[in-house]
Amino acid sequence: MRQPRDLNATSAATLGLLHRLRSATAGELARAAESDISPFWGITRSQIFRELPLLAGRGLVGAGDTGPRGSVPYHLTDAGREAFATWLVGVPQVQQPREELLLRIGFGEHFGPDELEVLLGGHREAHEARLAQLEAERVAMLEAGETYRLVTCEYGIRYEKMVLAWIEDLPKLLTS
Amino acid sequence: MRQPRDLNATSAATLGLLHRLRSATAGELARAAESDISPFWGITRSQIFRELPLLAGRGLVGAGDTGPRGSVPYHLTDAGREAFATWLVGVPQVQQPREELLLRIGFGEHFGPDELEVLLGGHREAHEARLAQLEAERVAMLEAGETYRLVTCEYGIRYEKMVLAWIEDLPKLLTS
DNA sequence: TGGTACATGTAACATGTTACATGATTAG
DNA sequence: CTAATCATGTAACATGTTACATGTACCA
């Protein structure tokens, strides 16, 4: 069995969620991932199902007794808690940006102005929707006193506003 | 041989770069990817080496005569040009955000204030460096009259400024 | 009681990353 | 001439995505 020294973000997120829930099955973790971290990190159910046995093999989580439908509850071990804490303050990975819209616009030489408009219109809608959702979440976080989740919300809001402003300014920028 | 109907962004980027270069080997494409699109879309050399024969199998690119060191020059076919144009204005994919810093801060319950400072400090430096680089690029794009690349640059600059401001405001946001 | 919806879990596949083998070029 | 460097290409692996098989609960 391979034993990589460091956690990747996906493994770490799994441990972090498990930390929060104390004990959880793969399905419960998947739901927690969706509600808690999906705005800034995506994990699929399948990944979690695959992760848990691997983490167990590395001694970072332990499996409890099989429950209904063969579902297995997992919990953090001391080693898992330690690995998570180490990851949390570790050297930040350089993120490779990945913006399909920008990729397309970088090839903008190949489309006419009306095509650009259509493309931008679709994105504007999507970003407006996300902005609205994040602002609603921010209110909820404020009320719940969840300061750390609040600032991640704030980040999302600022990001969406930045994108919307950029989309707004694009025609002007292109002709200047 | 599998024949997916639509291109993914990575295949499309390969075609787009090939479009620009008219004819290129895998290595040349990799260098173009690095210089032209790396700020908003990462592709590795290995991916390009893998992509090209697949694209050729789908009839989107054609291979020329083997050159020095067994390198093969590829060029777009008419079908490839068409596939690229279709992708360019196609339905935008919903992007899954992927921000490791936010993931960590979302688990901020687990670290002390000084650990947060260290984490933020590292990121601030990285973002300042990127900002400086992008601003230099913007000047170059302006001089070259590359309007589309200019606006992608502008996006990057606004993004970096947004992140830096957010990092700056974080302590205040956390205590409010 | 039939059937619709949902949840668990698996497997196949697509994409991204890393490490290496090989041959050419170049600097000393 | 030799060693270091660099470029091409390959292969193994890690991660992410999609589709499916199965079983359970709910509800008309």
Side-chain angles (χ1 to χ4, degrees):
Chain A
M1 164 124 11
R2 222 178 47 84
Q3 297 282 56
R5 178 164 219 99
D6 295 323
L7 294 174
N8 63 29
T10 297
S11 308
T14 307
L15 293 184
L17 291 170
L18 203 48
H19 207 313
R20 219 171 250 167
L21 299 176
R22 314 259 325 151
S23 170
T25 64
E28 288 165 348
L29 282 170
R31 278 186 292 275
E34 172 61 29
S35 79
D36 288 8
I37 64 178
S38 70
F40 38 86
W41 198 269
I43 315 185
T44 60
R45 264 175 8 95
S46 286
Q47 281 178 282
I48 294 175
F49 275 102
R50 184 174 43 194
E51 274 294 322
L52 285 170
L54 293 175
L55 292 171
R58 292 165 69 182
L60 304 181
V61 304
D65 296 334
T66 300
R69 304 189 195 187
S71 66
V72 178
Y74 286 89
H75 57 90
L76 273 190
T77 62
D78 289 340
R81 240 177 302 274
E82 193 181 330
F84 176 74
T86 301
W87 168 82
L88 195 61
V89 296
V91 178
Q93 291 284 102
V94 268
Q95 294 279 129
Q96 180 68 263
R98 194 147 262 265
E99 292 282 349
E100 191 173 312
L101 176 60
L102 289 203
L103 183 60
R104 295 191 196 206
I105 290 184
F107 287 122
E109 32 185 299
H110 296 292
F111 48 52
D114 46 341
E115 284 178 344
L116 178 60
E117 275 309 311
V118 172
L119 198 57
L120 290 179
H123 273 270
R124 177 160 34 216
E125 275 179 40
H127 284 284
E128 276 168 354
R130 263 187 65 68
L131 177 58
Q133 185 187 348
L134 284 165
E135 285 182 327
E137 270 178 40
R138 178 167 59 177
V139 172
M141 293 295 113
L142 248 176
E143 284 170 359
E146 300 251 26
T147 48
Y148 284 105
R149 309 243 223 120
L150 180 68
V151 296
T152 60
C153 236
E154 175 73 22
Y155 178 100
I157 288 169
R158 292 183 181 202
Y159 173 75
E160 298 301 336
K161 285 183 176 170
M162 184 278 288
V163 174
L164 286 167
W166 176 80
I167 289 177
E168 214 55 48
D169 294 345
L170 239 185
K172 192 177 57 193
L173 290 169
L174 278 176
T175 55
S176 69
Chain B
M1 163 129 4
R2 220 179 48 84
Q3 297 282 54
R5 179 165 219 97
D6 296 324
L7 294 174
N8 63 31
T10 297
S11 309
T14 307
L15 293 184
L17 291 170
L18 204 47
H19 208 312
R20 219 171 251 168
L21 299 176
R22 314 260 323 152
S23 170
T25 64
E28 289 165 346
L29 281 170
R31 279 186 291 275
E34 173 61 28
S35 80
D36 287 9
I37 64 177
S38 69
F40 38 85
W41 198 271
I43 313 186
T44 60
R45 262 175 11 94
S46 286
Q47 281 179 283
I48 293 175
F49 275 103
R50 186 173 42 193
E51 274 294 323
L52 285 170
L54 293 176
L55 292 173
R58 291 165 70 181
L60 304 181
V61 303
D65 295 334
T66 300
R69 304 188 196 187
S71 67
V72 179
Y74 287 88
H75 56 89
L76 273 190
T77 62
D78 288 340
R81 240 177 302 275
E82 192 181 329
F84 176 73
T86 302
W87 168 81
L88 195 61
V89 297
V91 178
Q93 291 284 101
V94 267
Q95 295 280 127
Q96 181 68 263
R98 194 147 262 264
E99 293 282 350
E100 191 172 314
L101 176 60
L102 289 202
L103 183 60
R104 295 191 195 205
I105 291 185
F107 287 122
E109 32 185 299
H110 296 291
F111 48 52
D114 45 341
E115 285 179 343
L116 178 60
E117 276 309 311
V118 172
L119 198 57
L120 290 179
H123 273 270
R124 178 162 31 218
E125 276 179 40
H127 284 284
E128 277 167 354
R130 264 186 65 66
L131 177 58
Q133 186 188 348
L134 283 166
E135 284 181 328
E137 272 179 37
R138 178 167 59 178
V139 172
M141 295 294 114
L142 248 177
E143 284 170 359
E146 300 249 25
T147 48
Y148 284 105
R149 309 241 224 121
L150 180 68
V151 296
T152 59
C153 235
E154 175 73 21
Y155 179 100
I157 289 169
R158 291 183 182 203
Y159 173 74
E160 297 302 336
K161 286 184 175 170
M162 184 280 288
V163 174
L164 287 167
W166 176 79
I167 289 176
E168 214 54 48
D169 294 346
L170 241 186
K172 192 176 56 189
L173 289 169
L174 278 175
T175 55
S176 66

